Amino acid sequence: MSLNRWILTGLAILAPWAAMAQAPLYAVVTESMLSSTESYRITDMALDTNGLVWVTTEQSGILRFDGERFIRMDAAPENPDDEVYYTAIAMIRPKFWLAAGDGVYAWKGKEWMQTTFPEKHCVDLINTGMGRIYALGSNTLYYRGVAEDRWTQEDVPGLEGAYQLIQKEGLLLIASESGLWLRNPAGLWTQLLDEPVSSAMPLGSEWLAVTQDGLKRLGDGGWTLIAPAVKGYHSFVSTADGQNAWLIGESGLWYVRNDGAALRLFSQGGLELETLQHGMASDAGGLLLASEKDLLRVDQPERWFDLRTLPYRLGPVEHVSGLGTDSCWLATTKGLYALGPKGLHSLPKPGAGVVAGLSIEKGGFAYGEFGLKSYARGAWKASGVTEWVSGLSWKGDSLLVQTLNGWMRLNGSGQLVPYAGKTPTISDQAGDAKWVTDVFGLALEASSRRVGEHLKPSLLIRGVERRTKKENDPVVLKFGFRGLPAAREAVPVEYQINGGEWVNLGLARRLVLDRLRAGRYEVRFRAAAPNGEVWGEPVYTIEVLPAAWKRPEFWVPAVGIGFLLLGLAGYIGWRRLRDRRIWQKERAQLERMALRLQMNPHFTFNALESISAFVLEKKPKEAVTYLHKFSRLMRYTLENAEEAYVTLEKEKQALENYIALEQMRFDHGFQCVFQVEEGLDTQVLGLPPMLVQPLVENAILHGLRPKLKAGATDAVLKLYMGLGPAPDTLLIQVEDNGVGREASKQHKSGDEGEKRSAATRILENRLQALQQETGKLHSVAVEDLDEGTRVSLVLAMYQEWDDND
C-alpha cells in the first residue's frame, strides 16, 4: 500500500474521533436572494412599509429589491466613473427617503435630488422617529426637521474621523477615530471611550464597542474585552427582548448575550460567513446579511445547528432529548450519542430492536422495542420493563411509561402498575431551550435569540411592469408576502379580474396579463394561512387605453384635419374643374366661331361659282334672282355669325334659300320636300347656325348631281325636323334618292372629294366642340338606303330661355 493511501486511511479512521472531541460550532441557515449574475457592494439597507428592501451601494446607485431582483431607483450617470458612493439610507416617510453619499439626497416619490447639505460627504444618517433627522459628516454632526430643508450644525467637541451614528431610546452615539461619544437626552456630549471605535451598539442597558483590540463591553466595572476576533465596521440588530444583540460586519456574524458571551455563527455547510457589509432585521423577524457579493436571508436566527451533528457525520437524527442549552442525547440511524459543551460521545446500544425515544430529564433513559433501560456508569441497566415502550413521562417523582396496554406507572419494585390519572404529555425536553431536528441536523432553538416580527404578515403587490398602456401590451404584476419567512411563503395565491371567478396561481408570484382590450380591469389577489387567517386582498386597477387611432383625443382632431384636407382638396378640385370647364367652354366657343368662319367662305365660294355660271351662260334674269337669294342668305350668315344658336325657323328659312339657289344652279332638276314634325315649336327651339347646310350640300352635290347628269328626272331631296329618339334631343334628317355613297365615289373628281371631306370634317369638329361646351351628346349617323343616302343628326335640345337660367 502506498504512503498516500496509508495517510488517507488514517485520516478516515481519526476523523470521527476528532469530530467527537471538538467543541460545539453553531450555524444558521442562509438563503441567497440574488441570482448568480447579480453582485452589489451594499453599504446600507432599510425596509419600507411594504417589506421591500432598499439599499445603497458603492458603485451601483440606490436599489430596491422587489422580491425577485434589484431595481435601480436613481438615475444612472452616462459615465460610470461618475457613480456616487452612497453610504447610508433612511426612510423618513413611505414616500420620503434620504440617502447619504456625496452630500445628502432626498427622494419624494419621483427622483433623487441633492439637498443643501453643508459638507461634500455624509458618513451616516438616521431618522430618530421624533421629528428630527441626524446626518454625520467626517468631523461634524448636523440635524434638521422632517419638514425642513436647512441643516443645522450640532457641536461635538473633539470629534474626528466619524464612522457610525447609533440611536437608542433618545440617546445618540458616534463611533469615530477619536473615540466613542454619547449624547444624553439633555443634549450633552460625553466621551465614553478614548480610543478609535469603528462601531458601537447597545446590549440591554449596556454598550458594546468594536475597537482595535476587539469587541469591548461597558459594564459596571468599565470596559472589558469579550471578543478579540471582532474587529472592523459592524452593524447590529437587537433581539426581540432587547437584551442580546446580533453583530454583522467585517468579522462575520456574531451573537452576543447580555452576560457578555460572544459566539460566532457559521453557514449551514460549516463555512465561515466572511466579511459582511451590512445587516438588518428582515420583514419576517429574521436577518438580512449583505456580503461582498450576495444578499443573504436568515429566516430563523433563533435556530442554531450544531455542526457536530451534520447528517453526513452521524446520519439523520431520529430522536433527541435535551437538557439545557448545551447538552442532549440523540438517536440517529448510526447509533446513540451524548452531546455536551466539551464534545460528542458515542453511547452503547441499549438493546435489540428499535429505539422509540430518549429522556435525560431525570437521569438517562432509552425506550423502545427492548423495553425501558436506564444509563449509569457507562452502561445500560434493565428497569424490569421488557415489553414495547412507546412513550415516557414524569409525574412528580413517578415515572410513567406508555405500553401496548396504555399508560402504566413504574413502582419502586420495578413493576408496572395501572395508571388511572390524566393522560400525561410525552416530554423529552427540559428547560427554556428546545432541541429540534431538521434536514441540516440537530438544532437548538432559544426564544432569547429571536429578532421579532417586524411587519404584520400580508399579501402585497410588489411591482408592475408594462411598456405602455396600449391594447395587447402585456402587464406583469409581481406580488409576494410581507412579514413571512420564505418557508411560510409556500402558500397558493388566487386572483380575480372584475369580480369574475377566482383562478388559482399555485406558488407563482407573478401574473402576466396579455391581449387586454381597452377598458378598466380590477385585479384582486387573495391568500389564506393554513389556520384560515386571511393575509389581505390587495387590488390593482389596470387601465388599458385603446389604440391611438381609436381614442377621441386622436381621431377627433384627425377627422377634423381629414375633413379640412378633404374640403381643401375638394375646393381645389372644384376650382380646377370649374376653370377647366370655363376654359373648355371658351375654347369650344372659339373653335365653333372659327369653324363657322371656315364654313362661310366655303359656302360663299360655291355660290359665287354658280352665279358666274349663270353669267357665262347669258342668263341675267336667273343670275339676278340667284344673287338676290344669295344676298339674303349672306345677310343671315353675317347677322348670326356671333350667335351660338338660332331658332329652327331661321335655320329652316336659310336652308330653303340655300336649296332654292342649288335648284336654280341645277335647272330645277330635283325636288325638295321639307317636313317639320307637328307640334315642334320652331320659334323656340334652336341649334347652331349653318349646322345642317353641309349635309344638304353633300346630298345635292354627291347624291343627286350624278343622277341628274345621267338624265334622271325623279331626284328628290327630303329634310325632316322633329323630336329625337332620346328625351330632350332634336332629330334632323337629310335624305336623297341619289346614286348612293359607293357610286358617288366613282363619279367624284379630286376637287369635289376634297370639298366633301372638308365639309364633313368641319361638321364633325363643330359637333365635338358643341359636346365639350355643353357636356351633352351630339352625333351624326349615315345610313345607306336602297336608293340614296340618309344622314341623321341628333342634337341636344336647346331653348331660347336656356341663356337666361
Side-chain angles (χ1 to χ4, degrees):
M1 184 179 293
S2 67
L3 179 61
N4 288 338
R5 288 193 175 184
W6 278 109
I7 293 174
L8 292 175
T9 303
L11 290 175
I13 295 173
L14 294 175
W17 294 102
M20 293 190 178
Q22 71 181 12
L25 296 175
Y26 295 104
V28 292
V29 176
T30 62
E31 178 185 359
S32 176
M33 298 175 64
L34 303 183
S35 66
S36 59
T37 59
E38 291 183 290
S39 179
Y40 306 101
R41 292 187 63 85
I42 297 174
T43 56
D44 196 11
M45 299 189 291
L47 284 175
D48 64 13
T49 55
N50 290 328
L52 299 180
V53 182
W54 293 59
V55 303
T56 52
T57 64
E58 293 183 5
Q59 295 294 328
S60 304
I62 302 172
L63 311 174
R64 185 181 71 184
F65 189 72
D66 65 355
E68 294 181 357
R69 59 187 176 88
F70 273 114
I71 300 174
R72 183 154 187 168
M73 301 302 293
D74 65 327
E78 294 182 2
N79 186 357
D81 295 335
D82 296 334
E83 285 281 5
V84 176
Y85 187 114
Y86 292 102
T87 57
I89 189 169
M91 183 182 74
I92 313 304
R93 290 194 295 263
K95 291 283 187 179
F96 182 19
W97 289 74
L98 291 179
D102 295 340
V104 177
Y105 299 81
W107 181 83
K108 296 184 179 181
K110 292 185 178 180
E111 58 182 344
W112 289 91
M113 303 293 292
Q114 194 165 17
T115 65
T116 55
F117 189 67
E119 296 190 14
K120 292 183 178 180
H121 184 68
C122 180
V123 177
D124 201 359
L125 59 85
I126 60 171
N127 177 21
T128 63
M130 296 179 288
R132 179 168 286 192
I133 303 166
Y134 282 91
L136 185 63
S138 298
N139 304 311
T140 314
L141 180 67
Y142 300 90
Y143 68 88
R144 55 168 275 190
V146 173
E148 298 175 356
D149 293 328
R150 185 175 62 87
W151 294 92
T152 302
Q153 181 177 341
E154 182 168 332
D155 186 33
V156 183
L159 176 64
E160 293 181 1
Y163 296 129
Q164 190 181 45
L165 185 60
I166 307 100
Q167 176 198 10
K168 181 191 175 184
E169 298 174 355
L171 301 177
L172 284 180
L173 266 80
I174 298 178
S176 69
E177 187 71 24
S178 60
L180 181 64
W181 301 84
L182 171 69
R183 178 185 184 277
N184 61 25
L188 299 177
W189 286 93
T190 305
Q191 189 178 34
L192 294 183
L193 188 59
D194 187 14
E195 62 177 298
V197 177
S198 57
S199 301
M201 61 282 304
L203 181 68
S205 58
E206 301 175 348
W207 294 98
L208 298 175
V210 181
T211 68
Q212 295 177 345
D213 297 327
L215 180 64
K216 291 185 177 182
R217 174 191 176 199
L218 178 60
D220 294 337
W223 290 97
T224 304
L225 182 64
I226 60 175
V230 179
K231 295 180 181 179
Y233 182 86
H234 288 72
S235 55
F236 73 94
V237 176
S238 297
T239 57
D241 57 9
Q243 298 303 309
N244 310 294
W246 290 88
L247 271 63
I248 305 106
E250 296 180 32
S251 301
L253 178 63
W254 290 74
Y255 178 75
V256 184
R257 291 202 312 246
N258 56 0
D259 59 0
L263 185 66
R264 183 171 188 174
L265 280 298
F266 298 83
S267 67
Q268 62 266 32
L271 301 176
E272 291 185 355
L273 289 169
E274 298 179 353
T275 303
L276 299 176
Q277 302 292 113
H278 200 271
M280 71 170 184
S282 70
D283 61 321
L287 294 174
L288 292 178
L289 312 177
S291 68
E292 289 184 333
K293 296 183 179 180
D294 203 353
L295 180 61
L296 305 175
R297 177 172 177 166
V298 182
D299 284 332
Q300 293 179 297
E302 70 276 9
R303 177 176 290 189
W304 294 0
F305 289 88
D306 194 321
L307 292 177
R308 297 172 298 177
T309 66
L310 292 175
Y312 76 89
R313 289 182 172 179
L314 304 182
V317 178
E318 296 178 336
H319 305 287
V320 62
S321 178
L323 182 64
T325 60
D326 54 8
S327 300
C328 71
W329 281 11
L330 60 154
T332 73
T333 57
K334 294 184 177 181
L336 270 64
Y337 301 90
L339 186 67
K342 295 183 179 181
L344 178 68
H345 305 281
S346 177
L347 298 176
K349 193 173 182 179
V354 177
V355 177
L358 301 171
S359 175
I360 58 174
E361 183 178 350
K362 295 181 180 182
F365 293 89
Y367 55 90
E369 188 177 353
F370 49 82
L372 177 65
K373 291 187 178 182
S374 61
Y375 188 78
R377 296 180 182 180
W380 291 100
K381 294 184 179 181
S383 63
V385 180
T386 57
E387 59 183 296
W388 187 295
V389 176
S390 58
L392 183 149
S393 182
W394 289 93
K395 186 175 179 63
D397 292 332
S398 298
L399 179 59
L400 305 179
V401 295
Q402 185 179 24
T403 67
L404 297 177
N405 297 321
W407 283 97
M408 309 291 286
R409 182 173 62 83
L410 185 67
N411 60 18
S413 302
Q415 297 178 342
L416 292 177
V417 297
Y419 172 71
K422 184 178 179 181
T423 301
T425 301
I426 299 176
S427 175
D428 55 6
Q429 307 257 2
D432 176 63
K434 179 181 178 182
W435 293 89
V436 295
T437 60
D438 202 330
V439 293
F440 299 105
L442 181 66
L444 179 66
E445 280 190 7
S447 59
S448 58
R449 305 170 189 154
R450 291 177 180 170
V451 176
E453 292 191 358
H454 190 71
L455 296 174
K456 181 181 178 181
S458 179
L459 175 65
L460 298 173
I461 298 175
R462 295 193 181 275
V464 180
E465 293 181 1
R466 60 188 309 189
R467 293 176 300 175
T468 67
K469 293 184 177 181
K470 297 179 181 178
E471 291 179 307
N472 299 321
D473 275 353
V475 181
V476 180
L477 299 176
K478 297 180 180 180
F479 50 91
F481 291 96
R482 177 194 70 184
L484 290 180
R488 293 174 61 192
E489 285 190 359
V491 177
V493 177
E494 297 178 317
Y495 77 95
Q496 176 193 66
I497 299 179
N498 289 344
E501 295 183 358
W502 287 97
V503 180
N504 193 336
L505 283 169
L507 301 182
R509 295 297 179 257
R510 61 165 54 201
L511 173 63
V512 180
L513 299 175
D514 202 358
R515 300 183 182 279
L516 292 177
R517 296 299 182 186
R520 193 178 182 88
Y521 300 87
E522 185 179 82
V523 184
R524 185 181 301 272
F525 297 90
R526 72 179 182 184
N531 60 2
E533 180 186 359
V534 178
W535 287 333
E537 289 190 3
V539 178
Y540 186 81
T541 301
I542 302 173
E543 184 179 359
V544 180
L545 300 177
W549 59 272
K550 294 182 180 179
R551 296 200 295 270
E553 59 268 25
F554 176 86
W555 62 259
V556 169
V559 170
I561 294 174
F563 276 118
L564 180 62
L565 294 177
L566 187 62
L568 182 61
Y571 174 74
I572 294 174
W574 174 81
R575 285 286 303 270
R576 294 185 63 183
L577 181 61
R578 185 194 65 177
D579 294 344
R580 181 178 179 85
R581 285 179 176 176
I582 293 174
W583 174 79
Q584 289 178 342
K585 186 175 182 179
E586 291 177 350
R587 176 186 173 187
Q589 289 176 349
L590 292 174
E591 289 181 351
R592 178 171 45 80
M593 292 175 63
L595 291 172
R596 191 163 60 244
L597 291 175
Q598 291 178 16
M599 181 169 289
N600 291 339
H602 175 69
F603 169 72
T604 303
F605 173 78
N606 289 337
L608 292 176
E609 191 177 51
S610 298
I611 295 172
S612 64
F614 282 120
V615 173
L616 291 175
E617 294 176 4
K618 298 180 180 182
K619 296 179 180 179
K621 182 178 181 181
E622 287 81 353
V624 172
T625 303
Y626 193 98
L627 186 59
H628 175 69
K629 291 184 179 291
F630 174 70
S631 64
R632 291 181 60 187
L633 186 60
M634 289 302 296
R635 171 179 283 184
Y636 165 78
T637 302
L638 294 175
E639 288 179 352
N640 295 283
E642 301 298 326
E643 298 293 333
Y645 293 91
V646 296
T647 63
L648 283 178
E649 183 63 31
K650 289 183 179 181
E651 184 71 5
K652 177 175 174 293
Q653 291 177 3
L655 288 174
E656 288 176 344
N657 284 330
Y658 173 74
I659 293 171
L661 290 174
E662 291 294 275
Q663 284 178 327
M664 291 180 63
R665 180 182 174 190
F666 293 106
D667 294 327
H668 299 281
F670 65 91
Q671 301 295 320
C672 178
V673 178
F674 209 126
Q675 181 182 359
V676 178
E677 182 178 338
E678 185 178 356
L680 189 67
D681 193 349
T682 58
Q683 300 293 334
V684 174
L685 296 177
L687 77 167
M690 300 297 289
L691 187 64
V692 185
Q693 186 270 340
L695 299 179
V696 175
E697 180 180 4
N698 283 339
I700 296 173
L701 296 180
H702 306 292
L704 298 179
R705 186 171 67 172
K707 188 174 183 178
L708 293 177
K709 286 183 178 182
T713 59
D714 59 347
V716 178
L717 176 67
K718 297 180 180 180
L719 278 79
Y720 170 82
M721 290 184 178
L723 296 177
D728 296 328
T729 58
L730 183 65
L731 175 64
I732 299 175
Q733 292 180 332
V734 177
E735 180 181 336
D736 66 79
N737 61 347
V739 296
R741 288 191 294 173
E742 293 299 327
S744 175
K745 291 178 182 179
Q746 299 176 2
H747 290 89
K748 70 182 180 181
S749 64
D751 181 60
E752 290 176 348
E754 291 179 2
K755 292 179 180 178
R756 179 176 185 179
S757 298
T760 302
R761 186 176 65 255
I762 291 172
L763 175 63
E764 290 175 352
N765 290 341
R766 291 191 66 185
L767 292 178
Q768 185 177 2
L770 286 171
Q771 185 166 332
Q772 290 181 357
E773 180 182 356
T774 62
K776 297 178 182 180
L777 181 64
H778 294 71
S779 65
V780 59
V782 180
E783 181 181 0
D784 292 323
L785 304 177
D786 294 337
E787 186 179 7
T789 306
R790 180 189 297 144
V791 180
S792 299
L793 182 65
V794 178
L795 306 175
M797 188 174 291
Y798 171 81
Q799 300 177 355
E800 274 193 332
W801 56 76
D802 286 347
D803 288 335
N804 300 323
D805 287 346

